[in-house]
Amino acid sequence: MGIMSASRSLSALFFSETTAGDIFLNPISLRFFTASLHLILLAIVIISWLCNKFRGRREGFRKQHDVENTTVSYYKPTLFSTLGFSFYNIILCLMSLFYWYRNGWSDEKIVISLDLGVRVLAWLSVYFSLQRHFSNSREAIYAIVLRIWFGAFFFLSCYCLVVDFLYYRNSQRLSAPLWASDVVSTMMGLILSCFGFLWKNRRIETTTLQEPLLNGDIRDSRKPSKGDESVTPYANAGIFSLFTFSWIGPLIALGYKKTLNLEDVPQLASCDSVRGAYPILNEKLESYSRQSNNKVTTMMLVKGLILTTWRDIVLSAFYVLVYTLASYVGPFLIDNFVQYLSGRRTYKYEGYVLVSTFFVAKMFECLAQRHWFFKVQQAGYRARAALVAKIYNKGLTISSLSKKGHTSGEIINFMSVDAERIGDFGWYMHDPWMVIIQVALALVILYNDLGLAAVAALVATVLVMLANYPLGSLQEKYQDGLMKSKDTRMKATSEVLRNMRILKLQAWELKFLDKILELRKVETGWLRKYLYTGSLTTFVFWGAPIFVSVVTFGTCMLIGIPLESGKILSALATFRILQEPIYNLPDTISMMVQTKVSLDRIASFLSLDDLQPDAIERIPFSDSDMALEVINGNFSWDVSSPSPTLKDINLRASRGMRVAVCGTVGSGKSSLLSCILGEMPKLSGDIRLSGTKAYVPQTPWIQSGKIVDNILFGKEMVRRRYDLVLEACSLKKDLEILSFGDQTVVGERGINLSGGQKQRIQIARALYQDADIYLFDDPFSAVDAHTGTHLFNECILGLLNSKTVIYVTHQVEFLPAADLILVMKDGVIKQGGKYNDILKSGSDFMELVGAHEEALQAFDTIDVKTSRSEDKDRNSLNSKPVLEKQESRNGRNDQVDLNEEILAQLVQEEEREKGNVGLSVYWKYITTAYGGFLVPFALLAQILFQVLQIGSNYWMAWATPVSKDMAAPVGGSTLILVYVALSIGSSFCILGRSLVVVTIGYTTANMLFNNMHLCIFRAPMSFFDATPSGRILNRASTDQSTVDLNMASIVALFAFAIIQLLGIIAVMSQIAWQVFVVFIPVIAICILLQRYYIAAARELARLCGVCKAPVIQHFSETLSGSSTIRSFDQEHRFRDINMTLIDAYSRPKFHTSAAMEWLCLRLDVLSLVTFAFSLIFLILIPEGTIDPSIAGLAVTYGLNLNMLQAWVVWNLCTMENRIISVERILQYTSIPAEPPLVVESNRPESHWPAHGEVAIKDLQVQYAPHLPYVLRGLTCTFFGGKRTGIVGRTGSGKSTLIQTLFRIVEPAVGEILIDGINILSIGLHDLRSRLSIIPQDPTMFEGTVRSNLDPLEEYSDEQIWEALDKCQLGDEVRKKPGKLDSAVSENGENWSVGQRQLVCLGRVLLKKSKVLVLDEATASVDTATDNLIQQTLKQHFADSTVITIAHRITSVIDSDMVLLLANGLLAEYDTPEKLLADKSSSFSKLVAEYAMRSSSSFEDLSNA
């Protein structure tokens, strides 16, 4: 009732004092009229909302997705405009109330306030109504009431503006709020009318990426997101959307509602995709390199990258220029503002002009900075993607000789480190010329304020910059050392992870951990120097403006320039802006040097020689019956070597011909295949090929991924051919055993497959390609005798019967089937011809056959023919039903297992935390070093710094007069001395703070590194089987670098930014406590925005971490299998996969940077509201109310408010993103560990095991709880001092038994006793260090021959030479210039596979353990070498227990006992004589089959 009566009295007042004709020509009367119209609008909106609410309740929920949805053009700008207009009216209303509160009230002022208040409510209701309409309605137009209102409001506002102008002309007075309200209302009415009437509506299909910015719902959460199928909205965004970053809003909204996955992140626009950027860079580099003998120089690379990203570079340069000019407007105008506040006004409305100029300049500064940052990041991502693609493609074509000069780790570093650094250079790209402009502008302002003292400021600035040079060069030197030491550590870590199984088998893991920690110690030496030098640089950064200001003001005092508070405040603001370029200069120079180093490294890599493109002459398939021809070929792995690796090679193979290659270890067999593939540098001669080729290398190359993908290798699935290939390669049984069949995910390098399975998958891959020429490099060495025969019959003699096949083999029994046999020795084809012909003609082949026959002498007592006929009968009668039963059982198991969840796969997707980063992560990080004891000291130092800095500026503002004609409160010397004292105090607080933060960060980084690596090295082997090394390396490199270099400073900066922000608000509130009226809601909105944003940003940052590893892993796999990829002509497919992975990494990176700018822009605008409010308040208060100097100080600090407010939230977001690195490292500090290495209460005697008896009782083993048992109740005893052979088909559990003996896999049930001691009761190192093994995959480490034989440095040179002689490598090593110190390259690549196995033999000869395990120890050596090894073992391990797994029956036939495994069960266990005597035994059949295959009569085999 009170409001109604007040309204009536006010209307009576205006209508009584104004004639009817003048009512609508009086601005005050019009306020009453517009307020009434807004009240009517408010009532209509509320009634409409209530009606819809009741109608909705009656109708219930309706399906919303059965038709195509529609939306209205420019609905977001409409929402933004209405909300913005509401806030504008709130601010105007609050300011009017405050102004009139100070100056008295009147009736007309009450009417204006009521009008503004009603407008706020009405426009807020319109905003919510529009948002509801856009979210839920299918109508394609604005509601008719709103459209009418938009038009009416525009005409009404225009009318009010005209009336204001007429009234002002007649009475010469009109309050500022009226002008401000009507001008903005007219503009808003025009904009809304255009939105409502002129622009057409559009129909679009609603997706989850097209929803209202803050309150929209996900339309149908059950549907899978299609983000990865759609292109980023950035590609088609309008100007308004681009300028405000609104196009990223839908993704942020989606991230707020659900956890983002890569599928939710849209694809990049074509110009930002690697498919758009790479062709430009490649074309430019190729055109440049053609002019310089195919060499790429650094300058060529720079020009290519600039031309790839020139649009972004030019645009960002423009934004930098606008930002630089706009940032100096504030300091330039502060003196004018202080003079205005002190009463010196040059023209009317000067205050409003100054405020408007401040506001507009800050707005331009904000917009320009945000777009500058976004554009340079966009250019960086594009440059990085194009470079990574170029490096990858080079890795596919690089020659073997060039590759020898770079380890795979170094080449991967070009991609993961150097390309990233070049991409990051965008941040510093414009700094060199920007610094010049900034310093020039600063000097202009200083000269305008302080005259010749500006020269002193210039000198001081130059001195500070020069002081930065030694620090910058030191940091550069330390960072260079840091990067090199990190490269060395990462190379060693990569090698260790690759060979972790052998390290655990040999009990070497802690020795190699010590090696890693030693390398880390070198790295942390550089890191410590770098960080502490950085703390001094920080001291210079914060001390620079203090030093420059002291010098400048001191000069003013000396030469008699009067100091006024306005000029001092202007100078202080200028110094603060100068602080950034002074600090950034050494960083910029350092980054330029680092980038040049990276460019040099990449350019030199791109300049390396490729494989000879003309090495092979391709002949059309239809032109000749010749498949392959080599004429007078001379080839060498080292072109500079005087003697070629292969000499005088002449070879011709017709179509359909089978060519066998044999020879002793190191004779050049694999090299012959390499020269046919074009992998080996050709010195002279010709190679001609007709048709497609397929290659099976000696060392299996398996990609991580599904087995079926490894077999298909890019080809379409043809089920009939696929089944034929599986059958031919004996893979069907293996796939039935696996829970997921051919959908089983294979670990890195096929780590969860046996050696035989890997080899057969390789063969299947080759067979499925249906090539014309097949090259096999000893593919049968890794499989048992039965499987080997099957593979030879079904593959080479069966499916490939009409193909040209060249196969290398050590197994003489496979030679007679060849149409041509080549005998290699010392790189020369010594003999060539059919089996019987060359047997009579030369001694070299006789040696091989003689060694083979010698091995067969043990079979003399076997009646081959009888056993063969019996085998046929028994196989036909007995084997088939058993096989069928087994198949049906496996089929049932398979069916059940396939229905299990995907968790049953061995290799899982990388674990990614979701949701908020827990406070526990922050707490662990903060308290890791010294239990958090130093943290309060850092905070105290920052608080003291802030107090002293504000105090020094407050002192300068208070102690200087506003103008020349006023007396100074204190003398000049007192002024400067107090200022210097306060400044020095604040500088030392900064130094103390920096040192404390660096100490915390350095200590924490080391502790996290040590904890993570200890946990990784103590992890069970199952962890490494299921975890690709790329994931571990990512944590050890990228995440560790973040923790080393950035994490402490980021956490500290967040805390310090909050303290600084509170300091600024405290200063501003001293002169205008009313600023809290705006500041508190603005801060609340900022926090809400940050929480809204961070949900998406956090997941995008996690996706960046997860998506980087596949790029590195794919590149690593490509480098190791490049010869296989090239042999199948699959380069194009692999390039395409690489580009897809690069884009998958770039997508979250691109959208992360856009989301950050989206947030920062909104924070800037909000902080600008606070700043503008404080400025308007200052010009509205009566003159003399506050001290102009202190008001000017508030404005000086206020100029930084928007930057600092955004900085607080930006630091919070950066901290939340970067803390993910700590989270990922902490994940790996909680890996379940293996059992203890040493059990102090149960340590075996030093001479244990004395006899070496191994008793196995009811042994049951499975690799994981969800996987089937591999060994199923095994019970037997390996007698001490006896030789036991273990045989069985591939996958029968032979290697699993050995792994269980070494406790690589822990038994689920049962026990193993060695000399009566249960191996489960003692420590792992006590067990493993007392056993010896020659593993299936021969392993050598980068280093020397000595370090490979004796990594623990336990033996003398004499003992090492003795071991080398025993394993037939002594002469080979003596030939090398370095002897025992001869270099061994990465993975032992400069040694043949056979030689690597002999090195492994040398290790066990040195160790001389009582229990020796040979796991396919002689698979890669010829029969003659195998016989020598067997003799050596018999001689030196006569009293040891020797357990031998072998596919060559000759290796186990002379054992004391033979154990035959079948499907994880003990099928037979007895002496060879007894098993051979029983013709029905499985072992007897195996021996008979081998003897039959290996006998001198090969007719059956060759005719098969």
Side-chain angles (χ1 to χ4, degrees), residues 860-907:
D860 286 345
T861 57
I862 301 170
D863 185 351
V864 177
K865 290 181 182 177
T866 306
S867 60
R868 190 191 314 162
S869 61
E870 287 174 2
D871 286 346
K872 285 180 182 175
D873 295 341
R874 287 193 185 90
N875 285 341
S876 60
L877 294 171
N878 303 328
S879 299
K880 210 167 184 179
V882 175
L883 191 65
E884 284 169 0
K885 287 175 190 172
Q886 180 70 35
E887 281 178 349
S888 64
R889 186 174 73 241
N890 286 338
R892 286 195 298 274
N893 291 343
D894 193 35
Q895 201 170 2
V896 173
D897 289 337
L898 281 169
N899 291 329
E900 291 177 7
E901 294 190 13
I902 198 68
L903 285 174
Q905 291 280 21
L906 177 69
V907 180

Side-chain angles (χ1 to χ4, degrees), residues 513-551:
L513 174 60
D514 289 341
K515 181 182 171 185
I516 298 289
L517 293 178
E518 282 297 317
L519 293 172
R520 172 67 178 175
K521 196 178 288 182
V522 175
E523 184 185 354
T524 51
W526 290 109
L527 178 65
R528 185 175 59 252
K529 292 172 186 174
Y530 178 80
L531 290 175
Y532 281 101
T533 309
S535 67
L536 290 176
T537 311
T538 306
F539 171 63
V540 172
F541 169 59
W542 290 99
I546 296 169
F547 173 73
V548 175
S549 59
V550 167
V551 170

Side-chain angles (χ1 to χ4, degrees), residues 1037-1083:
S1037 59
T1038 309
D1039 293 321
Q1040 187 62 47
S1041 284
T1042 300
V1043 174
D1044 284 345
L1045 300 171
N1046 304 325
M1047 201 62 239
S1049 58
I1050 287 170
V1051 173
L1053 281 175
F1054 171 65
F1056 303 156
I1058 289 176
I1059 293 168
Q1060 278 186 283
L1061 182 63
L1062 294 173
I1064 287 181
I1065 294 303
V1067 171
M1068 292 179 71
S1069 64
Q1070 286 298 303
I1071 55 102
W1073 60 264
Q1074 292 80 5
V1075 77
F1076 282 108
V1077 173
V1078 173
F1079 177 71
I1080 291 171
V1082 162
I1083 282 292

